[in-house]
Amino acid sequence: MMILNASGCLDALTAPTIARSLDAFVTKTVTPLPREGNAPPRIAEVEHGMLNSIGLANPGIDRFLSHTLPRLGELGVQVWVSVGGFATADYADLCDRLDDRPEVAVIELNVSCPNVDDVPASVGEIVGAARAATRKPLYTKLSPATADIAEVALAAQKAGTDGLSMVNTILGLALDGRTLRPCLSRGAGGLSGPALKPIALAAVYACYAATGLPIVGMGGITSGRDALEFVAAGAPSVALGTILFSDPTAPGRIRVELANEIGQLGVGELDNVIGLAHAKPPGPSEISSRTAAVSG
Amino acid sequence: MQRAQVEVTGSEQVGPYTLLHVARGGLDPGIPGQFFMLEAPGRPLPRPMSLCLAPPGELAFLIDAIGSGTRALCALQPGDELAILGPLGNGYRLDVERPLLVGGGIGVAPLPYLSESLGRPPAVLGFRSEGHAEAARLVPNAEVVIEPTYVTAAIPAGHDVLACGPEPMLAAVALLEPGAQLAWEAPMACGYGACYGCAVELDGELKRLCVEGPVLPAEAIAA
């Protein structure tokens, strides 16, 4: 079980203590060229969540490799690098350049940012090109905005992804209370926070059943109970996003809460919860007899 | 920065604004112009507030109830609890020879603590109405102007200006006093550099106000 941050929701160099409270730090998405991001305003609170249209602001791969990555490597926390491109070849190039860097534990392929206009090629193509370019473990970050997410996950699996990160934000719109114009300069933005949780859980549930791949589950996790539900849906690891903005101590708190939840559930170790939501509904005495079996 | 769960110790009306007192909870009050993220009850995101006063054992924030989060904060009662995170960002440089504090509207919020730290220097405060101008009582040695008179009409020459207020006021002060220190604001989800929401154009690039500011030299920002 690992607790990570969702890509783009923490700057480890600005907040190293918070990064070290995670089991792994996931970078903001790195693109081939520097990107300034979208014009402000680029965040807005909504009921039960927030919208962002940051737009993949990042220094670009050259500067990331020369300046950012060496410093991340000194933090003492496992580093996952999120990469994003605008063509299949971009992903291959980015993975190729990260391949021999010892600081990088995992590469996460962001094939699903809702805040850029260029929609890249199919997920299968991208994962296949990335797979050919690196020996590093690959996690593919999926969008919930698709008719059949299990089909996308299967395509990623066939193309060689080692795991899935899910879900990315989903497009939402907020209008200013007085002017009725969009709150964000870009118009719509990515919805995150508790409003995203049921959507994310459904995606994890479907992809676990379809692929059996390791999943980092994310989308509106604010408590140990939320994390437990993601584990039960099939994600052995979870990532925190919006909750880090309001509570940077959330990783430690959620780790404790999750342990308490598992203790109360009486199923023994966390491993026994992974995918539990897929089991046939327990009879009235099944949970307690399973506990007896585990402890016996 | 530290995060603490603190108790509300008082809430008083200052004109249309609310001065919210909370227990200090072991938090450092920081440098004037720095800010704290206050949990807004019932809302997904906290709200950035500069520290207004640092009475012994307390922190106090001047809040204008203009939206759902600030309304929730202004409705807090003594005994209620909330989480606060801070101090955050960069405050005012206090190594100035002839300080003059300039504030507009709710932008007077950081000036009482700043005034105390600088030995109660002169201040010029602008408000949109007599009612709003009641907040001037929190700032010693203040000259008050009411719209349609603006603070820029009342800033004497030869001072080191430290200002906070609405963007048009800060832009006008920057033109008049290029050496001024200005405290800006921007929508912010986290306050500690994680969300990239508070981007402002600085030296021709979009940068995070919570990391680079909120207090900046007048020449740094294109208003």
Side-chain angles (χ1 to χ4, degrees):
Chain A
M1 168 66 175
M2 292 172 69
I3 296 182
L4 307 86
N5 63 293
S7 172
C9 296
L10 186 66
D11 175 1
L13 298 181
T14 309
T17 310
I18 300 163
R20 287 190 199 101
S21 72
L22 298 160
D23 297 301
F25 167 71
V26 186
T27 69
K28 202 162 167 51
T29 295
V30 183
T31 54
L33 296 174
R35 288 175 61 91
E36 206 172 35
N38 295 320
R42 48 194 197 179
I43 55 166
E45 187 186 68
V46 295
E47 292 303 315
H48 313 298
M50 67 177 285
L51 301 176
N52 89 79
S53 62
I54 308 303
L56 300 184
N58 83 96
I61 188 69
D62 288 346
R63 191 170 169 80
F64 176 81
L65 291 173
S66 62
H67 287 75
T68 311
L69 189 55
R71 294 170 66 199
L72 291 176
E74 291 167 6
L75 283 175
V77 61
Q78 192 183 103
V79 177
W80 292 31
V81 178
S82 168
V83 298
F86 305 96
T88 303
D90 289 344
Y91 288 88
D93 290 346
L94 291 161
C95 288
D96 181 51
R97 296 191 64 187
L98 290 164
D99 186 52
D100 63 352
R101 294 297 295 252
E103 303 97 324
V104 182
V106 173
I107 298 174
E108 183 177 272
L109 303 171
N110 180 0
V111 296
S112 50
C113 180
N115 289 317
V116 292
D117 289 324
D118 312 82
V119 179
S122 78
V123 169
E125 259 181 66
I126 293 170
V127 175
R131 180 73 288 162
T134 183
R135 292 154 294 169
K136 300 275 189 196
L138 288 176
Y139 271 63
T140 305
K141 179 130 178 209
L142 300 182
S143 165
T146 178
D148 185 351
I149 195 168
E151 192 182 337
V152 180
L154 282 166
Q157 183 176 35
K158 195 174 169 194
T161 198
D162 298 291
L164 303 169
S165 296
M166 53 199 311
V167 292
N168 210 325
T169 57
I170 188 166
L171 268 188
L173 179 71
L175 301 181
D176 181 87
R178 280 174 302 148
T179 66
L180 290 179
R181 307 285 296 167
C183 295
L184 304 180
S185 69
R186 193 179 147 79
L191 173 67
S192 65
L196 190 59
K197 190 184 123 185
I199 295 167
L201 268 180
V204 169
Y205 186 85
C207 292
Y208 175 81
T211 70
L213 283 170
I215 294 174
V216 178
M218 70 196 84
I221 295 174
T222 66
S223 67
R225 176 70 203 186
D226 291 337
L228 181 74
E229 291 183 16
F230 275 84
V231 176
S237 295
V238 296
L240 310 180
T242 304
I243 187 63
L244 288 174
F245 300 155
S246 58
D247 180 7
T249 68
R253 172 176 62 77
I254 288 174
R255 194 172 282 122
V256 171
E257 290 173 357
L258 179 59
N260 291 340
E261 290 282 350
I262 290 167
Q264 285 173 22
L265 202 59
V267 293
E269 295 176 3
L270 180 132
D271 282 358
N272 298 330
V273 183
I274 299 170
L276 193 60
H278 298 264
K280 79 176 168 59
S285 62
E286 195 169 320
I287 285 185
S288 53
S289 63
R290 191 186 297 136
T291 311
V294 167
S295 55
Chain B
M1 72 177 183
Q2 275 189 299
R3 187 171 192 263
Q5 188 77 15
V6 299
E7 189 173 301
V8 174
T9 51
S11 179
E12 60 177 296
Q13 284 304 118
V14 181
Y17 309 121
T18 299
L19 187 61
L20 183 72
H21 289 256
V22 302
R24 197 173 283 194
L27 297 179
D28 185 334
I31 297 164
Q34 286 190 292
F35 64 97
F36 290 77
M37 297 300 287
L38 275 58
E39 176 190 4
R43 303 303 307 170
L45 298 176
R47 299 297 192 268
M49 298 289 158
S50 56
L51 185 64
C52 181
L53 283 163
E58 288 186 336
L59 302 171
F61 302 92
L62 190 67
I63 303 171
D64 193 5
I66 54 164
S68 55
T70 45
R71 278 195 296 272
L73 284 165
C74 291
L76 287 168
Q77 297 295 315
D80 290 343
E81 287 196 354
L82 74 161
I84 67 175
L85 176 77
L88 299 163
N90 299 302
Y92 292 98
R93 282 189 299 100
L94 303 178
D95 57 341
V96 288
E97 287 181 10
R98 296 194 64 200
L100 175 75
L101 314 188
V102 176
I106 188 61
V108 303
L111 301 187
Y113 182 40
L114 178 61
S115 176
E116 191 181 288
S117 304
L118 289 171
R120 303 159 70 95
V124 177
L125 308 178
F127 295 94
R128 83 175 79 137
S129 74
E130 295 281 352
H132 290 83
E134 281 186 46
R137 74 172 164 84
L138 300 172
V139 185
N141 301 320
E143 178 186 346
V144 175
V145 297
I146 308 281
E147 284 184 22
T149 304
Y150 292 114
V151 287
T152 41
I155 295 177
H159 284 81
D160 300 301
V161 169
L162 303 95
C164 184
E167 276 193 25
M169 185 202 98
L170 294 181
V173 170
L175 283 176
L176 199 66
E177 298 282 344
Q181 300 180 57
L182 310 177
W184 297 85
E185 65 175 358
M188 231 171 243
C190 71
Y192 66 92
C195 77
Y196 290 77
C198 61
V200 292
E201 192 176 330
L202 289 176
D203 303 322
E205 285 179 57
L206 285 178
K207 293 184 180 172
R208 292 167 291 180
L209 185 67
C210 71
V211 174
E212 308 290 334
V215 179
L216 295 163
E219 69 269 15
I221 196 156

